């Protein structure tokens, strides 16, 4: 009897885990398909009590098999040429743009828009064929004037629209070193524009140069349109950032990824870590604009699980993912579910722990702390912010130890350094930009 | 004479120049006004075209929304269930949120009985007031004529208005954009617009928020709230971008010296383009408010300082300068000619003076010896006596003539000088009369002298003699037919001293009224009829009058005696003080 129950428990555990991890095994066999993984940080939970559980929903882009068979890109480079860009900065920016365009070829469409208080379409959307002519036009860009960032992005997006296609990677690469001061200039307005562009399949990558730009605006614009964001302190580094960015652009394998998570059986969604999302009753939706070759993108959903009896299984969530596969040019669907098991044995709980998923969870939770710290610091509460970061560090420390994860350790060190750096006012501007950029990268699993 | 000529010439130059300059400037200013007016018309046209573009954009949106709303209605069988609407919102780039009101004003979307997303909750909060008044959306379908007027439907507050786009634009874009629409859904295209619909613009949160609403055939009112930043982005994309500098900065288009700004409800610049970078202080040349539903926005047109029609001004200046140069040359030539003539005349006068002077000495001798001969000649040679008398009188006449000429030139040169000496007027007159009696009697004229100016006084006897000589020789010349010449003299004591009067009356042809004044002008000699066959220099009367005037009196043609029917009557008035005066 005892053995029987043990056996049945083992079987059930196995089934549960396999269900969670490998619900998409048959799909994985196909090469040109996105992998959907749904992992619970704690697949086995203690019975008879309610839990806060974290579910990691991850998508991994398939490998781009042939470098030559990549997806064509449709890129608009939007360069800030306001007065503050004068001197070296604009020169580096021009060279970075030229270097980046060198990676493109005839399949791709490129356009270059520059803006100060006005917007100039330097290179209208064109196939990358006569490269010298494009470079020539870029080299003519001179810095002066104000910063009409909104109009610049609008015109850049408009250039993209000329060749807008679901089969291309449509991206605006925005470089700015200053505050938008002509046209809309609030982070929320730019965020709404980003969201609107994302619906058309355009994402905006924002590169903040120097210490003068508005990191909230830039991260929001990137966040709502699922582009990348980078903080570049020295203009010399622009070239490498542009290289990374174009590397990303050229390795996109899927676009327009909609993730819809339904919570079942009284499970209540609390928050989605890392990304903008909509929570509506038991439904959570979010979207990624693109998946890159061999890159994992994930979201962490925190849910509240009501108390369950021991030895029961519960379907917590079901996940539906829809995306455009750029290789097959089809809209494809994936689905899966997250199932938890409940056990009275603490050992079983510990044994079943999914370390990798938990690591990701801890990373994102700490990232949320970091955001809160910025908010506290913004409201002038330096001590509070510091405390949040220190708490975050100790949380990271303990988890790093139990998971023996060097990544978390590193993050802990960062948190401690950040806590120290909060104090001085003059460093804060730079610190904030760094923090914002780092948070953004963590949240979106940006590669650079 | 010397001074007036240059002044006159200067006036001749300056007057036409001034006139021309005035007219030229007027013309130029008018032209500039015309140019400015044309420019302003052009600008208005341009701004209006932009507004029309925006209206077309809204119209296209409207067409799209109506089709989509109908599609939603069909897809959900008029129920507008939540999922498809949400899906629609999720896919539409331009729509921020939607609402659906049922025919009885109940809210169907965002749903009342289902959980809402944060965004939907915010939207419900924002539009609570708007949705509570469903009559806002009940706009009777008007016939097209009435629809032209943007009717404001029960707008309790001014910022809240609902109106269809102006019909003209709708008509216009129906030709351009609606082709596609019709081909997509031929049945829907026209019928949809007949349902009540309109745009609402109101201030929400940070700016103007636009909602398009449309009532479907089931009586549901479907509202599309636009994504405001996206709308602005689309509008910006309708507007041109600025020219790219570079390639030698060759911007030859019309935009190079102006700037157009799109200014939002808060007065901030939303977008600007053009080659000019107007500074803060500059005033726009023109502003134009945009039409509904962007009513609180406006366009502002800035331009560099009005392009002055340099060529016009330059032409005017060149013209003026040429004319000035021409006139000056002409004036200079005239002046030279004139002064040369003056010089020649002066030389002649000098010549005459000199000749007269030269004549005087021999003449004096002639008279002296004639006189001596008269005295020494025995009385028994009447013939010789008579001849001598003629020689004497002719010599006297010649002497007077020369005196006249010399006096005239002296008067012209240095003015009249009067030398007062004590004497009696009548004595002086008597001498003159004695002198003239033989001369006049030769012309069968007899002098009748009535002297009553017997009081001794100070006067210039030479001047008086000269005056009388002139008057009497005139009588000799012109009034020979009159038989008599009357000379009367009298004196009156007046407030400022003693005045002597001498009236010389003849009975010749007389002087007409018109001529009276001209007689005194130098070198004037009465009418042809009168002067025919009579020699004269024409300076006598003028000189006489100058002398009389210098003497504090006058010489005039006396009219008190016009009853004498014919004959001239000259009245000499002289101020003859009793006490000595220093002249």
């Amino acid at each position: 009897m005892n053995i029987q129950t043990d056996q049945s428990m083992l079987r059930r555990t196995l089934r549960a885990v396999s269900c969670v991890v490998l619900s998409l095994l048959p799909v994985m066999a196909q090469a040109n398909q996105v992998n959907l993984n749904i992992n619970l940080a704690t697949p086995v939970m203690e019975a008879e009590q309610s839990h806060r559980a974290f579910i990691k929903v991850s998508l991994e882009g398939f490998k781009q098999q042939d470098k030559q068979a990549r997806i064509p890109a449709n890129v608009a480079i939007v360069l800030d040429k306001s007065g503050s860009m004068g001197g070296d900065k604009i020169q580096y920016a021009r060279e970075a743009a030229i270097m980046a365009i060198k990676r493109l070829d005839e399949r791709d469409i490129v356009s270059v828009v520059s803006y100060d208080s006005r917007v100039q379409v330097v290179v209208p959307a064109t196939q990358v064929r006569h490269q010298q002519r494009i470079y020539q036009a870029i080299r003519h860009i001179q810095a002066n004037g104000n910063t009409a960032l909104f109009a610049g992005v609008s015109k850049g997006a408009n250039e993209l629209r000329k060749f807008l296609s679901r089969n291309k990677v449509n991206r605006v690469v925005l470089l700015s070193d200053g505050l938008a001061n002509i046209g809309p200039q609030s982070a929320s307005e730019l965020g709404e524009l980003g969201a609107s562009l994302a619906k058309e399949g355009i994402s905006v990558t924002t590169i903040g140069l120097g210490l003068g730009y508005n990191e909230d605006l830039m991260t929001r614009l990137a966040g709502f349109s699922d582009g990348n964001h980078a903080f570049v302190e020295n203009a010399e580094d622009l070239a490498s950032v542009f290289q990374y960015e174009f590397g990303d652009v050229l390795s996109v394998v899927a676009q327009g990824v909609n993730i819809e998570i339904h919570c079942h059986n009284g499970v209540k969604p609390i928050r989605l870590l890392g990304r903008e999302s909509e929570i509506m009753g038991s439904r959570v939706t979010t979207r990624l604009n693109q998946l890159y070759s061999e890159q994992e993108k994930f979201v962490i959903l925190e849910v509240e699980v009501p108390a369950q009896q021991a030895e029961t299984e519960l379907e917590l969530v079901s996940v539906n993912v829809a995306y455009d596969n750029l290789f097959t040019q089809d809209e494809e669907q994936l689905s899966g579910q997250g199932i938890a098991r409940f056990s009275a044995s603490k050992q079983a709980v510990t044994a079943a722990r999914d370390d990798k998923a938990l690591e990701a969870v801890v990373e994102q939770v700490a990232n949320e702390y970091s955001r809160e710290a910025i908010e506290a610091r913004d409201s002038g509460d330096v001590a509070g912010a510091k405390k949040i970061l220190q708490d975050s560090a100790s949380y990271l420390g303990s988890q790093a130890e139990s998971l023996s994860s060097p990544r978390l350790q590193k993050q802990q060190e960062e948190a401690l350094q950040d806590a120290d750096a909060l104090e001085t006012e003059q460093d804060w501007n730079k610190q904030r930009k760094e923090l914002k950029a780092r948070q953004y990268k963590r949240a979106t699993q940006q590669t650079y | 004479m010397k001074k007036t000529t240059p002044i006159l010439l200067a006036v001749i130059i300056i007057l036409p120049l001034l006139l021309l300059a005035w007219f030229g400037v007027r013309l130029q200013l008018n032209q500039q006004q015309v140019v400015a007016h044309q420019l302003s018309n052009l600008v208005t046209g341009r701004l209006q075209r932009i507004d029309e573009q925006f209206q077309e954009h809204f119209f296209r949106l409207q067409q799209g929304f109506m089709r989509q709303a109908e599609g939603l209605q069909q897809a959900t069988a008029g129920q507008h269930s939540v999922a498809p609407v949400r899906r629609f919102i999720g896919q539409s780039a331009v729509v921020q949120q939607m609402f659906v009101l049922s025919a009885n004003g109940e809210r169907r979307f965002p749903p009342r009985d289902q959980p809402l997303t944060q965004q939907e909750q915010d939207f419900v909060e924002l539009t609570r007031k708007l949705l509570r008044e469903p009559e806002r959306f009940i706009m009777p379908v008007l016939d097209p004529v009435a629809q032209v007027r943007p009717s404001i439907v029960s707008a309790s507050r001014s910022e809240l208005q609902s109106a269809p786009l102006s019909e003209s634009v709708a008509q216009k874009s129906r030709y351009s954009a609606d082709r596609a629409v019709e081909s997509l859904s031929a049945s829907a295209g026209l019928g949809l617009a007949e349902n009540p619909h309109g745009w609402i613009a109101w201030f929400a949160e940070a700016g103007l928020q636009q909602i398009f609403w449309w009532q479907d055939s089931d009586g549901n009112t479907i509202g599309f709230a636009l994504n405001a930043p996206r709308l602005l982005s689309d509008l910006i994309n309708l507007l041109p971008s600025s020219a790219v500098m570079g390639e030698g900065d060759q911007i030859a288009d019309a935009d190079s010296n102006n700037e157009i700004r799109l200014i939002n409800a808060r007065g901030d610049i939303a977008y600007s383009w053009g080659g000019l970078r107007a500074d803060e202080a500059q005033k726009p040349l023109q502003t134009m408010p945009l039409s509904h539903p962007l009513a609180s926005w406006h366009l502002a047109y800035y331009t560099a300082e009005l392009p002055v029609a340099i060529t016009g001004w330059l032409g005017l200046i060149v013209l003026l300068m040429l004319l000035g140069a021409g006139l000056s040359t002409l004036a200079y030539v005239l002046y030279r000619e004139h002064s040369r003539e003056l010089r020649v005349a002066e030389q002649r006068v000098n010549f005459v003076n000199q000749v007269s002077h030269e004549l005087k000495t021999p003449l004096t001798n002639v008279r002296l010896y004639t006189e001596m001969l008269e005295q020494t000649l025995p009385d028994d040679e009447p013939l010789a006596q008579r001849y001598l008398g003629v020689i004497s009188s002719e010599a006297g006449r010649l002497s007077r003539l020369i005196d006249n000429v010399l006096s005239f030139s002296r008067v012209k040169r240095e003015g009249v000088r009067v030398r007062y000496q004590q004497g009696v007027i009548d004595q002086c007159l008597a001498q003159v009369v004695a002198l003239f009696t033989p001369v006049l009697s030769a012309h069968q004229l007899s002098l009748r002298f009535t002297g009553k100016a017997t009081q001794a006084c100070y006067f210039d006897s030479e001047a008086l003699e000269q005056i009388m000589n002139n008057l009497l020789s005139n009588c000799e010349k012109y009034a020979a037919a009159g038989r008599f010449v009357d000379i009367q003299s009298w004196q009156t004591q007046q407030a400022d001293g003693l005045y002597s009067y001498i009236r010389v009356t003849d009975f010749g042809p007389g002087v007409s009224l018109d001529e009276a004044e001209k007689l005194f002008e130098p070198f004037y000699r009465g009418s042809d009829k009168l002067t025919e066959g009579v020699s004269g220099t024409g300076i006598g009367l003028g000189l006489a009058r100058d002398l009389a005037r210098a003497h504090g009196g006058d010489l005039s043609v006396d009219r008190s005696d016009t009853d004498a029917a014919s004959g001239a009557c000259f009245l000499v008035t002289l101020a003859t003080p009793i006490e000595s005066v220093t002249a």
Side-chain angles (χ1 to χ4, degrees):
Chain A
M1 186 65 190
N2 230 347
I3 296 164
Q4 230 180 354
T5 46
D6 272 351
Q7 272 179 343
S8 73
M9 196 180 108
L10 190 67
R11 209 166 51 235
R12 278 179 199 163
T13 313
L14 271 175
R15 204 171 64 206
V17 170
S18 68
C19 260
V20 168
V21 182
L22 304 170
S23 53
L24 294 158
L25 260 183
V27 181
M28 272 179 79
Q30 293 183 14
N32 281 350
Q33 193 138 38
V34 171
N35 276 343
L36 169 66
N37 292 326
I38 302 160
N39 304 61
L40 267 67
T42 49
V44 178
M45 300 179 202
E46 269 187 76
E48 309 297 346
Q49 75 184 84
S50 63
H51 291 274
R52 285 275 175 106
F54 293 97
I55 303 165
K56 177 186 173 196
V57 178
S58 63
L59 291 161
E60 194 181 346
F62 47 85
K63 187 170 191 283
Q64 235 179 13
Q65 282 162 321
D66 187 356
K67 273 275 173 205
Q68 293 306 308
R70 65 175 174 81
I71 308 301
N74 179 13
V75 185
I77 300 177
V78 180
L79 293 178
D80 188 343
K81 69 173 200 75
S82 59
S84 54
M85 282 291 290
D88 278 356
K89 278 182 171 179
I90 191 74
Q91 204 175 326
Y92 279 116
R94 288 193 301 244
E95 288 312 311
I98 289 171
M99 295 273 283
I101 293 173
K102 279 187 179 156
R103 292 187 63 155
L104 305 178
D105 60 35
E106 287 191 7
R107 286 169 289 180
D108 304 308
I109 310 283
V110 75
S111 50
V112 181
V113 172
S114 70
Y115 66 92
D116 41 56
S117 27
R118 307 288 159 73
V119 182
Q120 299 84 26
V121 178
V122 179
V123 178
T126 176
Q127 271 186 307
V128 186
R129 193 171 285 156
H130 305 290
Q131 300 193 325
Q132 284 308 322
R133 213 174 288 169
I134 297 172
Y135 302 157
Q136 202 59 34
I138 293 175
R139 291 203 175 100
H140 274 298
I141 299 173
Q142 298 293 336
N144 69 338
N146 274 328
T147 310
L149 192 143
F150 184 91
V153 174
S154 296
K155 291 283 183 190
N158 203 40
E159 291 302 313
L160 286 188
R161 278 189 202 109
K162 293 179 183 170
F163 294 94
L164 194 64
S165 147
R166 290 251 171 235
N167 305 327
K168 288 200 182 77
V169 182
N170 307 302
R171 181 162 305 199
V172 176
V173 180
L174 169 71
L175 171 72
S176 179
D177 79 328
L179 300 177
N181 48 21
I182 303 256
Q185 40 204 259
S186 72
S188 67
E189 282 168 301
L190 269 297
E192 276 181 47
L193 177 68
S196 170
L197 293 177
K199 287 175 181 177
E200 289 177 283
I202 296 172
S203 47
V204 183
T205 286
T206 57
I207 299 171
L209 176 61
L211 300 175
Y213 70 92
N214 178 347
E215 58 273 21
D216 292 325
L217 182 152
M218 298 286 262
T219 49
R220 272 193 97 143
L221 179 55
F224 273 102
S225 63
D226 197 30
N228 292 325
H229 170 69
F231 163 45
V232 180
E233 194 183 354
N234 294 313
E236 298 101 66
D237 302 333
L238 275 177
S240 60
V241 170
F242 267 77
Q243 290 297 316
Y244 284 131
E245 174 60 22
F246 274 63
D248 254 12
V249 167
L250 297 180
S251 69
V252 168
V253 294
Q255 283 193 146
V257 185
N258 278 304
I259 303 174
E260 199 175 310
I261 306 170
H262 287 275
C263 297
H264 301 291
N265 301 320
V267 174
K268 237 178 77 187
I270 295 170
R271 58 176 176 167
L272 191 81
L273 296 176
R275 287 178 186 271
E276 305 293 338
S277 63
E278 272 186 358
I279 299 177
M280 197 170 14
S282 64
R283 211 190 82 179
V284 182
T285 53
T286 187
R287 52 178 293 139
L288 309 173
N289 240 10
Q290 55 263 307
L291 289 175
Y292 304 101
S293 170
E294 291 185 289
Q295 271 183 47
E296 187 194 42
K297 299 263 173 188
F298 61 83
V299 293
I300 304 284
L301 179 67
E302 185 177 0
V303 293
E304 197 174 87
V305 183
Q308 302 288 329
Q309 288 183 334
E311 306 308 317
T312 51
E313 277 177 17
L314 190 72
E315 185 190 358
L316 301 184
V317 293
S318 63
V319 179
N320 290 310
V321 176
Y323 65 93
D324 292 328
N325 186 323
L326 288 174
F327 279 92
T328 60
Q329 316 228 325
D330 283 331
E331 189 176 327
E332 289 171 4
Q333 306 262 351
L334 296 172
S335 57
Q337 34 183 203
I339 294 171
R341 230 186 91 73
F342 295 86
S343 163
S345 139
K346 285 200 176 173
Q347 269 181 331
V349 172
T350 322
R353 193 178 67 184
D354 183 336
D355 284 359
K356 258 190 88 179
L358 190 57
E359 188 185 27
V361 167
V362 173
E363 187 187 356
Q364 295 300 326
V365 170
N367 210 18
E368 277 313 303
Y369 278 131
S370 170
R371 280 181 201 223
E372 285 168 27
I374 287 188
E375 270 171 38
R377 178 66 174 77
D378 284 345
S379 61
D381 183 6
V382 179
K386 200 167 177 179
K387 183 159 188 314
I388 292 171
L389 282 176
Q390 279 163 348
D391 288 351
S392 164
S394 61
Y395 169 68
L396 281 165
S398 65
Q399 294 292 331
E401 208 172 308
S402 80
L403 293 169
S404 61
S405 154
R407 255 180 81 180
L408 293 182
Q409 236 157 20
K410 210 180 133 224
Q411 201 177 348
Q412 180 205 4
E413 280 159 26
E414 274 175 12
L416 283 172
Q417 278 169 14
D418 293 341
D420 287 340
L422 278 180
E423 306 261 341
T424 51
E425 195 65 43
Q426 70 224 80
D427 289 343
W428 171 238
N429 180 26
K430 182 182 163 189
Q431 177 75 8
R432 193 171 190 277
K433 290 182 169 53
E434 256 172 21
L435 267 175
K436 273 272 178 186
R438 217 184 304 134
Q439 285 163 12
Y440 188 84
K441 279 175 198 174
R442 282 232 165 78
T444 60
Q445 298 90 47
Q446 189 178 315
T447 47
Y448 64 90
Chain B
M1 195 71 181
K2 282 242 165 188
K3 267 183 195 166
T4 49
T5 313
I7 291 173
L8 202 74
L9 286 173
V11 167
I12 287 173
I13 299 169
I14 288 167
L15 206 67
L17 276 181
L18 280 180
L19 273 174
L20 194 76
W22 187 66
F23 279 118
V25 168
R26 278 281 304 268
L27 194 77
Q28 277 299 316
L29 289 179
N30 276 348
Q31 201 143 10
Q32 273 185 358
Q33 265 182 350
V34 168
V35 167
H37 189 69
Q38 280 172 343
L39 182 70
S40 110
N41 276 352
L42 241 125
V43 169
T44 312
R46 203 163 157 201
L47 298 184
Q48 262 164 1
R49 271 199 302 286
I50 293 168
D51 191 38
E52 276 168 28
Q53 270 185 313
F54 287 176
Q55 290 286 299
E56 270 179 47
H57 179 72
F58 281 112
F59 185 75
R60 277 196 297 275
L61 285 176
Q62 171 178 326
Q63 293 293 312
F65 287 152
M66 286 196 282
R67 267 186 296 117
Q68 283 154 348
E70 207 201 21
L72 271 178
Q73 187 194 2
Q74 282 165 358
T76 60
Q79 290 308 301
H80 293 283
S81 42
V82 176
V85 176
R86 281 200 177 130
R87 201 179 312 127
F88 171 75
I89 296 169
Q91 284 166 355
S92 172
V94 291
V95 173
Q96 175 103 324
Q97 267 304 331
M98 277 177 67
F99 64 81
V100 178
L101 295 180
S102 70
N104 51 14
E106 213 168 292
R107 198 181 81 210
R108 284 193 160 154
F109 188 90
R112 287 169 172 281
D113 49 355
Q114 288 179 38
L116 301 177
T117 64
Q118 191 59 46
Q119 233 200 3
E120 284 165 357
Q121 282 168 20
D122 293 345
F123 183 66
V124 167
E125 200 56 45
L126 213 65
T127 53
R128 189 178 296 279
K129 210 169 226 151
L130 184 76
L131 298 186
R132 213 184 286 150
E133 297 170 52
E135 64 268 23
R136 217 182 274 295
F137 307 111
I138 300 162
M139 190 177 70
V141 184
L142 302 165
D143 56 312
V145 184
Q147 242 179 351
V148 174
R149 249 173 281 118
S151 46
I152 294 156
V153 181
S154 67
S156 54
R157 271 180 291 155
S158 59
E159 75 264 30
L160 233 155
Q161 37 180 266
S162 171
L165 296 174
S166 72
E167 189 70 11
S168 62
V169 173
Q171 293 273 347
K172 201 176 155 196
S173 46
R174 197 163 289 166
Y175 293 115
S176 53
D178 212 34
R179 287 283 152 82
V181 175
E182 269 175 61
S183 67
L184 275 174
S185 58
S187 62
L190 283 170
L192 292 175
E194 280 166 22
N195 290 357
H197 62 267
W199 287 88
I200 298 174
W202 96 102
F203 286 98
E205 287 177 329
L208 204 61
Q209 174 86 49
Q210 282 82 17
I211 287 186
F212 174 71
W213 61 269
W214 180 74
Q215 210 168 65
D216 66 15
S217 50
D218 295 333
N220 293 321
T221 304
I222 299 146
F224 298 84
L226 296 189
N227 180 333
R230 175 52 190 256
L231 173 67
L232 175 60
S233 176
D234 285 341
L235 295 181
I236 286 174
N237 285 331
L238 288 175
L239 301 173
S241 52
S242 300
V244 180
M245 303 289 267
E247 270 112 78
D249 287 351
Q250 286 170 344
I251 357 169
D253 62 54
D255 278 348
S256 59
N257 58 356
N258 61 41
E259 177 185 0
I260 304 179
R261 290 179 182 170
L262 175 64
I263 294 174
N264 69 13
R266 280 172 298 177
D268 301 332
I269 303 171
Y271 184 63
S272 68
W273 71 99
L276 179 81
R277 281 163 202 273
D279 48 31
E280 294 292 316
Q282 201 174 333
K283 285 231 163 69
L285 180 72
Q286 213 166 357
T287 60
M288 195 187 74
L290 292 171
S291 311
H292 182 78
L294 279 176
S296 56
W297 291 43
H298 63 272
L299 291 166
Y301 187 97
Y302 292 80
T303 183
E305 292 307 309
L306 270 185
V308 183
I310 282 281
T311 48
W313 287 110
L314 212 67
L316 181 65
I317 288 166
V318 166
L319 187 70
L320 284 176
M321 274 166 62
L322 279 178
L323 188 74
L327 283 176
S328 304
T329 316
L330 190 70
Y332 178 68
V333 168
L334 280 177
Y335 179 73
R336 259 190 45 176
E337 196 70 14
H338 178 73
S339 52
R340 202 167 62 86
E341 267 169 25
L342 272 185
R343 227 173 20 250
V344 169
E346 210 168 321
Q347 279 167 359
R348 277 185 197 147
V349 168
N350 282 344
F351 173 73
V352 169
N353 278 348
Q354 244 139 38
V355 168
S356 307
H357 223 83
E358 291 304 313
L359 287 176
K360 208 175 169 180
T361 321
L363 190 62
T364 312
N365 283 340
V366 169
R367 288 181 71 188
L368 180 68
Y369 284 97
T370 311
E371 229 166 275
M372 279 162 43
L373 195 59
E374 264 183 333
Q375 283 168 5
T376 51
L377 201 72
D379 290 340
D380 53 352
E381 289 194 45
L383 193 67
Q385 283 284 2
R386 205 157 50 100
Y387 288 177
L388 266 181
V390 171
I391 291 172
S392 171
S393 80
E394 288 304 307
R397 189 146 65 138
L398 191 58
S399 158
R400 284 196 304 276
L401 193 67
I402 287 167
D403 275 352
N404 256 357
V405 169
L406 289 177
S407 299
F408 178 75
S409 63
R410 194 174 60 239
V411 166
K412 288 289 163 216
R413 209 165 52 241
E414 56 202 36
V416 187
R417 286 234 306 278
V418 180
R419 280 188 301 273
Y420 287 93
Q421 284 171 331
Q422 201 175 27
V424 179
I425 297 278
D426 279 358
Q427 282 177 6
C428 182
L429 288 177
Q431 282 173 17
V432 178
V433 167
L435 204 64
F436 266 89
T437 307
V439 180
L440 290 177
S441 50
H443 287 88
Q444 282 80 44
L445 279 169
S446 48
L447 267 172
R448 297 187 295 201
F449 174 48
T450 331
K452 285 177 191 160
T454 49
Q455 198 173 342
C457 56
Y458 283 89
F459 67 98
D460 185 343
S461 56
E462 271 181 41
L464 181 59
E465 272 172 35
Q466 211 162 1
I467 293 169
M468 291 310 292
N469 284 346
N470 277 313
L471 289 175
L472 290 176
S473 54
N474 274 353
C475 294
E476 179 204 338
K477 284 181 210 158
Y478 303 116
R483 308 230 18 219
F484 295 102
V485 173
D486 289 346
I487 301 173
Q488 289 161 300
S489 70
W490 68 95
Q491 283 174 318
T492 51
Q493 183 69 41
Q494 286 181 6
D496 50 347
L498 182 74
Y499 278 85
S500 305
Y501 299 91
I502 301 133
R503 182 187 286 141
V504 179
T505 315
D506 65 48
F507 300 91
V511 178
S512 77
L513 277 175
D514 308 336
E515 271 184 332
E517 276 306 306
K518 291 181 188 169
L519 284 177
F520 298 102
E521 286 172 18
F523 309 115
Y524 179 86
R525 300 178 63 211
S527 65
D528 294 342
K529 198 169 52 178
L530 194 67
T531 54
E532 211 171 335
V534 183
S535 68
T537 54
I539 56 175
L541 276 177
L543 182 64
R545 174 182 260 193
D546 286 346
L547 287 169
R549 285 186 176 171
H551 212 289
D554 200 4
L555 169 63
S556 58
V557 177
D558 193 9
R559 293 189 198 297
S560 61
D561 252 7
T562 41
D563 54 325
S566 65
C569 177
F570 290 93
L571 179 66
V572 180
T573 316
L574 296 174
T576 48
I578 300 169
E579 271 90 48
S580 161
V581 284
T582 47

